[in-house]
Amino acid sequence: MPKLNGSCLCGAVSFEVVNAFDTMFLCSCDQCRQITGSAFASNLFIAADGFNWLSGADEVATYQLPARDISKSFCRVCGSGVPWASGDGMKMIVPAGSLRGEPEVVKKYRIFISEQPSWSSCLDQVEACEGLPP
Ligand SMILES: [Zn+2]
Ligand SMILES: [Zn+2]
């Protein structure tokens, strides 16, 4: 089966994953916005046996929100979000922005849009530029 590669920004942490994801959650909940520092988290789910670290697994740190099923793993060197294992170890959760190439996803969901702030809910009304604004 075809694979995709992914890495953190500095390149210390890299991985490969089978390009056949079950689901993608674009989550706008308060916790995902805080933990990513962005409008929403973009997480892909795949069976754990389709995932392999290629380098830097010992550079990965994980934060687990107490009493909630919310985690984030990140490279200790550059802070980029990198994949982590689900609580039961059956799935890997892969931040979409860490991948090179286009993920193949069976089903995509935007979730917790009720918690989305106005600045991130009408992105088609924000002026779009190819690079920096003129
Ligand atoms: Zn890094
Ligand atoms: Zn969330």
Side-chain angles (χ1 to χ4, degrees), residues 53-73:
W53 295 109
L54 297 178
S55 67
D58 53 342
E59 297 288 2
V60 175
T62 299
Y63 173 76
Q64 170 70 48
L65 187 66
R68 293 285 306 274
D69 189 20
I70 294 175
S71 305
K72 179 183 177 164
S73 288

Side-chain angles (χ1 to χ4, degrees), residues 14-18 46-53 83-84 92-94:
S14 64
F15 59 90
E16 64 177 10
V17 61
V18 170
I46 189 132
D49 62 3
F51 179 91
N52 286 306
W53 295 109
W84 70 94
M92 287 300 285
I93 300 140
V94 180

